[in-house]
Amino acid sequence: MQLTWLGHSCVLLSGSKKVLIDPFIEGGSVAATNPDLVAITHGHSDHMGEAVALGKKTIAITEIARYLKANGVPAESMNIGGTQVVDGVSFTMTPAMHSTSIEEAGMGFSGGAPAGFVIGLDGIRVYHAGDTGLFSDMKLIGDLYHPDVALLPIGGRYTMGVTEAMMAANFIGAKTVIPIHYNTWDRIAADTDALKKGIERTTDLRVRVLLPGKSLDITP
Ligand code: NI
Ligand code: MN
């Protein structure tokens, strides 16, 4: 399976299916990735992004799924703690400590609750934390689902920063840690060297800092 960080919180998993998570990049489009499935962590515009325009089968929390269906997008609803398999890809929805609202619909739609996903594709499990602060139940995500890869926000201000992400990586225990949700704007600038050194000096986990558009081969 190939994992591509397209920028911000947007990640493409390419294997027997192409799964696009949080289809937003700053000042561009991710439509050319032509995914089979789309997963949305929460309603904020830097995560919903092109979900409606793409119009692909989209996995999201009940309230966002309802909004997408109303806009003509085939959506598969679920909720936190649940798992569903869509076209051979498994999606487990995890909690996230954050807020949510469907901004493109105005301030009136709460969009349910913010979430993350553990996605199982071709025998590899990838945890995308969504936007979240640190919470100790990340240990449960590690113990229950044993993700191979953890995609963690590190930009601070709206999510965990580098210090919290180091502890999150320990809680989750995924061998490969990839930082996301940083440097998109100055207000979420982050020091990836500090993250890498902090985690790799004290654990056997490895941090892979990707440039936007860069891919990584993930093997079981
Ligand atoms: Ni957000
Ligand atoms: Mn965000």
Side-chain angles (χ1 to χ4, degrees):
M1 190 198 76
Q2 200 175 51
L3 183 155
T4 307
W5 181 50
L6 293 155
H8 199 55
S9 205
C10 185
V11 174
L12 179 70
L13 308 179
S14 303
S16 56
K17 288 281 186 296
K18 286 204 283 186
V19 183
L20 186 62
I21 311 159
D22 284 355
F24 166 90
I25 56 169
E26 176 66 19
S29 170
V30 290
T33 58
N34 194 29
D36 301 298
L37 300 169
V38 174
I40 302 293
T41 61
H42 64 295
H44 289 155
S45 57
D46 60 319
H47 299 261
M48 287 279 280
E50 297 174 78
V52 172
L54 285 166
K56 303 290 185 179
K57 194 183 287 184
T58 302
I59 291 82
I61 203 162
T62 307
E63 290 79 4
I64 290 176
R66 194 182 304 146
Y67 169 79
L68 291 171
K69 283 180 193 166
N71 284 276
V73 179
E76 293 289 350
S77 68
M78 62 188 305
N79 217 313
I80 292 165
T83 297
Q84 66 172 329
V85 178
V86 182
D87 299 341
V89 184
S90 89
F91 294 85
T92 298
M93 187 167 271
T94 59
M97 291 286 281
H98 192 61
S99 66
T100 181
S101 62
I102 302 177
E103 293 166 342
E104 63 191 69
M107 300 302 283
F109 287 109
S110 74
F117 287 102
V118 177
I119 298 175
L121 173 63
D122 299 345
I124 292 162
R125 277 169 291 205
V126 175
Y127 171 49
H128 187 299
D131 277 1
T132 188
L134 179 66
F135 58 96
S136 59
D137 279 1
M138 284 177 174
K139 284 180 186 168
L140 293 178
I141 294 168
D143 289 348
L144 271 167
Y145 308 119
H146 306 287
D148 301 289
V149 179
L151 296 158
L152 302 178
I154 65 159
R157 184 156 177 166
Y158 304 104
T159 67
M160 295 188 286
V162 167
T163 305
E164 294 82 8
M166 287 179 196
M167 187 164 281
N170 274 299
F171 283 164
I172 298 152
K175 283 282 181 288
T176 301
V177 175
I178 300 173
I180 58 171
H181 210 275
Y182 69 97
N183 290 1
T184 316
W185 307 289
D186 290 346
R187 62 188 187 276
I188 55 169
D191 182 353
T192 52
D193 285 344
L195 179 82
K196 189 171 172 67
K197 284 174 185 155
I199 291 176
E200 295 189 349
R201 273 180 190 160
T202 53
T203 72
D204 62 350
L205 312 177
R206 289 296 164 260
V207 177
R208 299 298 301 264
V209 178
L210 301 178
L211 294 170
K214 188 129 179 4
S215 298
L216 195 62
D217 283 318
I218 312 287
T219 47

